[in-house]
Amino acid sequence: MFWLSLAVVCKMFAPSWDQIAYDGDFEYLPDNMPSVVGGRLLDDAFPEVRSRSQFLIVLARSKHTEPTDTVDNAISKIDEHVGLDLIRRLYHRLAEVSLKKAIQSGWSGEGPAETRDAERYLATATLALDEAIASDEEYYEFFAAAIGKAPSSETVDANDWPRLSIAYWDRANLRQALGDVAGHDLDRAAAVQLNSRLPENAIPVNERDLSAWMPLLDVLTWNDPVIGHRLSPRRARLIVLRSENELAAVGNIKTMNAIEELIAKVQENNDPLMEPGLSIVPTGTAAIGGETLRSSADAIRYTEVLTVVLILAVLALIYRAPLLVAIPLISIVVAVICATAVVAVAASMGTISGLSWVDLKVFTTSRIFVVVILFGAGTDYCLFLISRLREEVAHRPWGEAVEVSLSRVADALIGSALTTVVGLAMLWVSDFGKFHYSGPVIAICLLVALAVCTTLTPALLIAIGPRAFWPGALPQSLIEVRSPFWHQVAGIMTRRPIVVLAIGFGLLFPPAFYGFLEESKVTYDISSELGPHAVSRQGVTLLKENLPLGETNPMTLLIVRAESSSRENLEQELSAVVEGLYGLKGIVAVRSALDPLGDYPPGSKMGLFDRNAWRRRALQSHRISQQYFWSDVSQYKDRLVRLDIVTSGDPFKQQSAGEVDRIADYIRTLSANVVSPWHGASFAICGTTASIMDLRAVTISDAVKIKIWVVIAVFVILLVVLRKIGLSLYMIFTVLVSYYATMGVSVLFFRLVYGDSYIGLDWKVPIFLFVILVAVGQDYNVYLVTRILEERRVSHPLAAVRRAVARTGGIITSCGLVMALTFFSMTASAWVPGLLAGLGISRVSTTGTLRGITELGFALGFGVLLDTFYVRTVLVPAFCVLGSRQTETSENLDDLT
């Protein structure tokens, strides 16, 4: 009852995984990595305007779309005014968020702001409301004839159709709070005229549910007269939503959902007027991060459901006894509940003052490993116990048989569990936070699962008694337990061990060699993590057709002079730096305080009456320039300059690293030049490309450490359990060959699946595959070898090998099949939605597939099958036969088996 009661308590009171889970990759880079140092400097120097990611909404006509008589693939006036419907709503959301933040920053709601933050938020709210109303008027005037008379005010939703009366209402209230009585009266009259029920129905700003929009910092659109030309290529129009959230913040899920709902509402509102071929798609770093997290949640849900279904099917197939299916399942469910609760409580403790030494974090994607490994390993533990029980119950009373079975398999269970636990725990040596914490978390969960399966499962078996085998009968002798098939396999594998080993490794080495060559050829392209049908990936495709990706995702260069100077001197000296940067290969534009959009590279001539002259002057006072390029923080004032650099490469691709290196080399040269005004200056580069470079560097370094420590740890556990150095080394060698063979087969498989779009396996696949396969893959070898050693105590060494293979072959194969199927369930999000749709089930998630999880699920599943059916069946028994010092031929020992 202890475990069952604990499971109930955990379910009721422990924090849920979602409440304490983190996510992201760049946020868990070591503190000394260049991009992290640059991010901290950016936070310190520009605390008020730090946009950490952005959503991009692309209104576009694909260049691959066939033009019609009315549509030539260029954005039309109708398209732009459909976009105005979206713009007015987004500006109003920005205004609402800014007003709410002003109140949270101490504004009382009456009179001027009392804090700098509140003043800034009120200024943003005022500007956003002005833009929302101006866009609303422009939108309505254009479509007035087509829209016709609006429905009566009793049935209209002021936020939806056709006028944005709520924006007038909010501006009226803001003007009243700031003492503008005349402005308040005009806006209130307009709001009531547009919606007579608004005074009764309008919810105060501070009480509105704006949680999805709270990260919003600013809205930039193609409709802006100053910067709009940068956001309006011929076949597209862009809206930029600057966000304070990191790329992979969990809150981006809600924002992404809210943006998609808003787009759907706009499309529905304008459906009668929209011309065919217009796409409105969200993308950008925040959208990719949010959709990745959303896909992770879908992948976890599909994996959990499919795992349970597969476990039930396999157990039913093996036992054909309802209670023997129920006992392992109950044990595993209790183990998952208790294990995840223990980890969640431990992770929560670390946030309590005085308990920061409990340094444990869990991640959204870690849950998928916890569920899969716990269900797979927990089922294996139960299967081995029940299998041994079938042997012992043939000649012992039930209670005694359960006790003896547990004592006989305890060493194998503990040994195999420890190889997995210790192997996974070695991820703690890594510097990358996601590896550093994930391994120990899974290891802790496995220890809980082992405790549950070695206590609760025997207790349930004793409590239920022989009825557990109903409707089947208990075995009456060992003859009923032995499998004729595995008896034959044991004979074949042990007669000519040298030939078996030669053929066995001969078949394994070619794919292993290919896997060794391909292991490092992975991709860090976070935009490719989602499948091609993901919304944000479609947006990236549209964006690539119309603009260089670097245009909307520049890298940021921060230069800090050794000594302060006047602003005028800095501007003059900055001109030379900008000119030098333009001379570097791959640099498309340099945005600075002198040229905020990078429109005017050195050598550009602009006459007095040039139409762009006013734009350049306006840009320098535009809100995207104010407090953006110069820091007002006293420590950095008149010392630090910021430049945003647009490059020709895709910022998500590793090839862009060369551009970062060239920029860094150039600034180092300036800093080292004693006659340069920038002598002694320090610098930092941050942005997507710089973060990917650091992620690649730290994970490559971690991979070396992890491999060394995992191999040492697993070898030590094998040595303790088996007490045989040669055998332990051989088992490590076989699982390493198995790992590289699995890598080779996985690369070949996904090259075939992806075709021309293959750019390498996801960067996480080799590391997690190595750790899990080396650790988990030893389970079945340990089960087999410990049984061989047990049989050697009472029989000839060769006979011991045959008996062990014959008596454990069926159950080890079943265990391996269970584990492989649970790993294959990680691929569910790639094919289950399509299968359900094919079966006519309409409610199917349309979230994109996570390629990394799919690739890892396939590789782990294949690797476990390889270990189960090949390494354990062929390579380990043959080596154990060679290790025997007996001279008798196998033909003379058939009778002993």
Side-chain angles (χ1 to χ4, degrees):
M1 291 299 293
F2 168 77
W3 286 114
L4 297 176
S5 301
L6 181 61
V8 172
V9 172
C10 289
K11 195 67 177 174
M12 292 176 62
F13 299 107
S16 71
W17 198 281
D18 293 338
Q19 291 175 319
I20 47 91
Y22 296 86
D23 224 303
D25 293 328
F26 302 153
E27 294 84 349
Y28 301 101
L29 291 169
D31 289 341
N32 62 342
M33 300 304 289
S35 65
V36 178
V37 173
R40 283 201 304 270
L41 177 58
L42 203 56
D43 282 335
D44 293 342
F46 301 95
E48 297 180 350
V49 293
R50 175 79 151 100
S51 173
R52 292 171 172 82
S53 64
Q54 60 186 15
F55 290 90
L56 283 170
I57 301 178
V58 185
L59 290 82
R61 295 189 175 278
S62 172
K63 66 181 180 181
H64 303 296
T65 304
E66 288 295 330
T68 65
D69 292 339
T70 57
V71 181
D72 66 354
N73 286 355
I75 290 292
S76 67
K77 282 295 182 183
I78 291 180
D79 295 336
E80 287 189 339
H81 282 80
V82 169
L84 278 174
D85 191 6
L86 187 57
I87 287 174
R88 62 177 184 158
R89 297 169 191 268
L90 289 170
Y91 270 125
H92 183 244
R93 287 288 179 267
L94 175 62
E96 291 176 306
V97 166
S98 300
L99 288 171
K100 197 162 190 173
K101 287 180 178 178
I103 294 171
Q104 293 172 350
S105 299
W107 183 51
S108 64
E110 295 292 337
E114 298 178 359
T115 66
R116 182 174 177 177
D117 284 346
E119 182 180 3
R120 177 164 51 87
Y121 289 132
L122 287 181
T124 301
T126 301
L127 176 64
L129 285 169
D130 290 345
E131 293 287 353
I133 290 172
S135 300
D136 176 72
E137 291 173 347
E138 186 179 353
Y139 166 77
Y140 187 69
E141 287 171 3
F142 185 84
F143 284 132
I147 292 173
K149 187 178 179 181
S152 66
S153 59
E154 286 75 15
T155 60
V156 74
D157 181 344
N159 289 292
D160 291 345
W161 177 273
R163 301 301 299 272
L164 202 61
S165 56
I166 189 69
Y168 290 87
W169 180 261
D170 288 340
R171 191 169 71 172
N173 291 335
L174 177 59
R175 284 177 165 177
Q176 183 181 38
L178 297 178
D180 182 0
V181 177
H184 161 264
D185 293 342
L186 288 173
D187 282 341
R188 183 182 176 89
V192 173
Q193 182 180 6
L194 294 172
N195 184 356
S196 61
R197 300 186 63 180
L198 200 54
E200 306 157 25
N201 298 334
I203 301 172
V205 168
N206 203 37
E207 297 176 16
R208 297 174 194 170
D209 181 11
L210 299 171
S211 56
W213 298 97
M214 289 306 288
L216 190 60
L217 291 174
D218 200 358
V219 176
L220 307 174
T221 80
W222 79 84
N223 211 36
D224 188 298
V226 178
I227 66 170
H229 66 291
R230 279 293 189 182
L231 303 175
S232 53
R234 181 173 177 272
R235 286 188 302 269
R237 298 293 182 268
L238 305 181
I239 302 172
V240 180
L241 308 181
R242 299 170 63 201
S243 171
E244 65 185 15
N245 276 351
E246 295 289 355
L247 177 150
V250 176
N252 286 342
I253 299 175
K254 291 184 70 173
T255 308
M256 182 68 172
N257 291 339
I259 290 172
E260 288 179 328
E261 289 174 9
L262 199 60
I263 290 173
K265 188 178 293 184
V266 167
Q267 289 174 322
E268 180 183 2
N269 192 45
N270 296 279
D271 182 64
L273 306 166
M274 288 177 64
E275 295 176 335
L278 178 67
S279 298
I280 307 177
V281 186
T283 187
T285 52
I288 292 171
E291 195 166 15
T292 299
L293 293 174
R294 194 168 61 184
S295 296
S296 296
D298 276 359
I300 291 169
R301 185 175 68 253
Y302 283 125
T303 298
E304 289 178 345
V305 173
L306 187 60
T307 297
V308 173
V309 170
L310 290 173
I311 294 292
L312 280 171
V314 172
L315 290 176
L317 185 64
I318 293 172
Y319 292 124
R320 296 181 292 278
L323 291 175
L324 282 184
V325 173
I327 290 171
L329 200 59
I330 291 172
S331 301
I332 297 162
V333 170
V334 169
V336 171
I337 293 173
C338 293
T340 52
V342 167
V343 169
V345 170
S348 300
M349 290 171 60
T351 62
I352 300 174
S353 178
L355 295 176
S356 58
W357 56 270
V358 185
D359 186 21
L360 196 68
K361 290 182 174 68
V362 298
F363 299 92
T364 304
T365 49
S366 298
R367 181 175 176 85
I368 199 167
F369 294 112
V370 169
V371 169
V372 167
I373 293 178
L374 256 61
F375 266 90
T379 304
D380 287 358
Y381 300 153
C382 295
L383 284 176
F384 254 85
L385 176 60
I386 294 171
S387 174
R388 192 56 183 260
L389 175 61
R390 292 183 76 247
E391 293 185 37
E392 299 298 335
V393 82
H395 54 87
R396 301 179 191 274
W398 181 263
E400 181 184 349
V402 174
E403 294 177 8
V404 171
S405 299
L406 181 60
S407 65
R408 296 276 173 87
V409 300
D411 287 346
L413 290 180
I414 293 172
S416 65
L418 284 179
T419 60
T420 308
V421 168
V422 175
L424 287 166
M426 287 302 101
L427 282 168
W428 186 263
V429 304
S430 58
D431 294 319
F432 179 49
K434 213 164 188 178
F435 293 160
H436 180 76
Y437 294 109
S438 294
V441 163
I442 302 171
I444 292 170
C445 291
L446 264 176
L447 286 175
V448 175
L450 178 65
V452 171
C453 293
T454 54
T455 53
L456 177 60
T457 305
L460 291 173
L461 287 168
I462 291 175
I464 293 173
R467 294 187 300 276
F469 283 85
W470 178 87
L474 292 177
Q476 299 301 311
S477 69
L478 288 176
I479 301 297
E480 296 183 39
V481 176
R482 188 177 70 180
S483 166
F485 171 78
W486 285 104
H487 175 70
Q488 294 296 322
V489 171
I492 294 170
M493 294 304 155
T494 56
R495 280 191 176 92
R496 294 177 176 81
I498 295 178
V499 175
V500 168
L501 286 176
I503 296 174
F505 282 114
L507 293 174
L508 211 54
F509 278 147
F513 180 70
Y514 181 69
F516 177 78
L517 296 178
E518 293 288 323
E519 181 186 23
S520 61
K521 298 176 183 178
V522 295
T523 176
Y524 287 80
D525 184 355
I526 58 174
S527 68
S528 68
E529 171 74 355
L530 294 162
H533 300 296
V535 173
S536 56
R537 280 292 303 278
Q538 293 174 4
V540 168
T541 301
L542 285 174
L543 203 56
K544 283 181 178 178
E545 292 178 359
N546 292 281
L547 282 174
L549 281 184
E551 182 79 25
T552 55
N553 196 4
M555 64 181 74
T556 295
L557 170 63
L558 302 170
I559 310 176
V560 185
R561 286 175 52 118
E563 298 178 354
S564 62
S565 178
S566 67
R567 182 68 56 87
E568 292 77 12
N569 286 341
L570 275 178
E571 288 181 352
Q572 291 176 3
E573 293 157 359
L574 183 60
S575 297
V577 175
V578 171
E579 185 173 352
L581 288 171
Y582 269 108
L584 301 179
K585 180 182 177 182
I587 304 302
V588 173
V590 179
R591 301 170 182 171
S592 66
L594 308 177
D595 184 10
L597 290 183
D599 285 332
Y600 310 103
S604 298
K605 295 182 179 180
M606 185 168 54
L608 179 63
F609 300 104
D610 192 299
R611 66 184 181 87
N612 291 323
W614 72 269
R615 179 183 289 155
R616 187 170 188 176
R617 289 192 295 271
L619 274 170
Q620 293 176 1
S621 60
H622 194 276
R623 69 179 186 281
I624 68 168
S625 302
Q626 292 297 305
Q627 297 180 328
Y628 185 87
F629 293 107
W630 302 113
S631 173
D632 286 337
V633 176
S634 58
Q635 180 183 356
Y636 300 109
K637 190 170 184 179
D638 297 332
R639 288 182 58 219
L640 181 146
V641 294
R642 171 178 180 169
L643 303 98
D644 283 357
I645 303 175
V646 179
T647 62
S648 59
D650 184 338
F652 296 107
K653 304 290 186 184
Q654 175 59 27
Q655 291 85 338
S656 297
E659 294 158 355
V660 176
D661 290 337
R662 283 189 287 274
I663 294 169
D665 291 341
Y666 171 69
I667 302 299
R668 285 194 194 97
T669 302
L670 284 180
S671 179
N673 187 350
V674 294
V675 299
S676 168
W678 300 95
H679 175 62
S682 59
F683 72 95
I685 301 175
C686 49
T688 301
T689 303
S691 295
I692 289 175
M693 289 174 62
D694 288 346
L695 179 64
R696 185 174 185 274
V698 74
T699 52
I700 288 175
S701 172
D702 280 346
V704 176
K705 291 189 292 185
I706 289 169
K707 287 180 179 179
I708 293 172
W709 281 102
V710 168
V711 168
I712 291 174
V714 172
F715 173 72
V716 169
I717 296 298
L718 290 176
L719 199 58
V720 170
V721 173
L722 305 179
R723 299 181 180 86
K724 293 185 180 295
I725 295 178
L727 183 57
S728 299
L729 286 173
Y730 176 76
M731 290 169 66
I732 290 290
F733 174 71
T734 59
V735 81
L736 289 176
V737 175
S738 175
Y739 159 74
Y740 282 111
T742 300
M743 275 295 301
V745 171
S746 298
V747 170
L748 288 172
F749 176 78
F750 285 106
R751 278 187 185 277
L752 179 65
V753 171
Y754 296 150
D756 293 338
S757 66
Y758 178 80
I759 56 175
L761 297 180
D762 184 76
W763 61 272
K764 296 182 285 294
V765 171
I767 296 178
F768 278 117
L769 178 64
F770 182 89
V771 174
I772 295 175
L773 210 56
V774 170
V776 174
Q778 292 292 2
D779 279 8
Y780 311 115
N781 294 335
V782 170
Y783 290 147
L784 174 62
V785 172
T786 53
R787 186 59 183 265
I788 291 173
L789 297 178
E790 180 185 338
E791 294 291 343
R792 278 188 176 183
R793 300 190 193 107
V794 296
S795 63
H796 187 280
L798 182 54
V801 175
R802 289 190 174 182
R803 285 180 178 176
V805 172
R807 292 180 180 177
T808 63
I811 191 59
I812 291 179
T813 300
S814 299
C815 290
L817 187 61
V818 167
M819 182 66 81
L821 288 175
T822 57
F823 282 135
F824 278 130
S825 70
M826 293 170 63
T827 68
S829 61
W831 55 271
V832 168
L835 177 64
L836 295 179
L839 295 174
I841 300 175
S842 58
R843 297 183 65 82
V844 179
S845 172
T846 57
T847 303
T849 301
L850 288 182
R851 291 174 63 161
I853 289 179
T854 301
E855 292 164 0
L856 184 57
F858 172 85
L860 285 170
F862 178 83
V864 169
L865 289 180
L866 186 63
D867 276 330
T868 304
F869 288 93
Y870 197 77
V871 175
R872 184 268 311 178
T873 305
V874 177
L875 303 181
V876 172
F879 183 83
C880 289
V881 171
L882 280 181
S884 173
R885 296 184 180 181
Q886 303 299 322
T887 58
E888 291 89 347
T889 63
S890 60
E891 288 82 359
N892 295 331
L893 294 171
D894 285 342
D895 59 320
L896 296 177
T897 61

